[in-house]
Amino acid sequence: MVKTDGSKKKEEKEIALKRFGNPQLFSIEYSLLDNPIDDSGYLKESWGNFALIVDGKNICEHEVENETYKYVWYLDHIVGWFSSHLIYVLGYDPYPLPVKGDSVQELILNSERHVPEEDDEEYYWYYAKSSWTMRHNWFSSRGGSYLPNIYFRRVEREIEIVWDNSIYRDSQVIFSQADGSVRLPLGEFKKVIFGVLNDFYPNLLDKIPQARTADRQSIERMWRKFKLL
């Protein structure tokens, strides 16, 4: 793990910070940075800092060994997750198991309490829960980074955002916002996410020389996937 803090790396040449949304409600901020690691491929150019802000609080901010860090990593992991999974977050993809709950936390807790009567039912139950989680939680796209554990779920005309970082309980990572939840108007969430994705891909393409055809084509494929929504 490379510990980095974009705010302290004065030698890094930072491309202008981009902000989408209202930080007092919901916003995302990002900027692309010079990559301090000797990498290759277009992933290298996606190195930058990222903040998801709810009620004025940066949900991605964390502490390691008594030092506070912003989230700095390969942003293609996060943006790529949204490009591939927005169809489930924004669309109609209800929790697949027959349990009740008014929030993601309650649904997952109640599904974990379920005791299947038959062995094969346990597999089907687990598969349904884990598949839905992959579609609505970006943690699987952390790529080795300290990414907060966040769920995104549509509830009628709102988007529920839930974060629960108990998964880091046995590590030295402490998030300033350990857990919480918020519900946003669907339109507000879409405005922020679409703003980020429509800005990120052309900025990333600008960093990649025309001669690197394969890398540019990979980025353009992800951008086209998002544009289909």
Side-chain angles (χ1 to χ4, degrees):
M1 168 59 63
V2 176
K3 292 186 290 186
T4 56
D5 183 354
S7 67
K8 297 180 180 180
K9 299 278 185 182
K10 299 300 184 181
E11 68 274 15
E12 289 178 338
K13 180 182 178 182
E14 181 174 335
I15 296 175
L17 177 72
K18 305 296 184 75
R19 173 183 291 169
F20 302 86
N22 177 2
Q24 298 309 312
L25 177 62
F26 170 64
S27 70
I28 287 178
E29 299 178 357
Y30 89 90
S31 62
L32 295 173
L33 306 169
D34 288 339
N35 192 336
I37 304 172
D38 185 18
D39 285 331
S40 61
Y42 73 87
L43 190 64
K44 172 182 179 179
E45 277 82 8
S46 74
W47 184 267
N49 59 44
F50 181 92
L52 189 148
I53 301 171
V54 176
D55 294 333
K57 301 170 184 176
N58 183 357
I59 307 303
C60 298
E61 186 178 85
H62 57 278
E63 182 180 297
V64 181
E65 298 178 352
N66 298 317
E67 189 166 357
T68 300
Y69 294 93
K70 294 180 180 179
Y71 183 82
V72 180
W73 201 246
Y74 301 100
L75 302 191
D76 182 70
H77 288 309
I78 294 176
V79 177
W81 184 88
F82 275 118
S83 291
S84 297
H85 295 89
L86 266 181
I87 190 170
Y88 305 111
V89 175
L90 299 179
Y92 300 93
D93 187 34
Y95 197 68
L97 298 174
V99 296
K100 294 182 179 180
D102 294 327
S103 66
V104 168
Q105 299 103 311
E106 290 183 6
L107 290 169
I108 291 176
L109 179 61
N110 290 336
S111 64
E112 290 175 346
R113 289 172 173 167
H114 173 77
V115 180
E117 296 180 359
E118 302 175 18
D119 290 341
D120 61 345
E121 277 298 308
E122 182 175 1
Y123 170 77
Y124 299 140
W125 189 275
Y126 172 79
Y127 181 80
K129 180 169 72 72
S130 60
S131 296
W132 187 89
T133 298
M134 292 284 285
R135 298 193 298 270
H136 293 268
N137 184 317
W138 69 6
F139 194 69
S140 61
S141 293
R142 63 192 181 280
S145 68
Y146 296 141
L147 185 67
N149 185 39
I150 302 182
Y151 292 86
F152 304 87
R153 176 178 75 123
R154 177 172 177 168
V155 183
E156 297 181 350
R157 299 298 299 174
E158 295 181 316
I159 294 292
E160 178 185 41
I161 302 177
V162 174
W163 57 99
D164 176 9
N165 292 303
S166 58
I167 196 168
Y168 288 102
R169 184 176 293 131
D170 296 329
S171 72
Q172 296 180 321
V173 183
I174 301 173
F175 281 82
S176 58
Q177 307 301 317
D179 55 66
S181 64
V182 67
R183 287 196 180 187
L184 308 168
L186 178 63
E188 183 67 23
F189 180 82
K190 288 173 65 175
K191 181 176 68 175
V192 171
I193 297 299
F194 277 65
V196 171
L197 298 185
N198 275 318
D199 188 80
F200 177 82
Y201 284 120
N203 277 338
L204 186 57
L205 281 170
D206 284 346
K207 296 187 70 177
I208 299 176
Q210 293 289 337
R212 287 168 53 186
T213 305
D215 285 341
R216 295 183 63 86
Q217 288 177 343
S218 295
I219 296 169
E220 288 167 353
R221 278 196 297 271
M222 290 298 296
W223 196 7
R224 284 197 299 272
K225 181 186 294 186
F226 152 66
K227 285 182 175 181
L228 292 174
L229 297 176

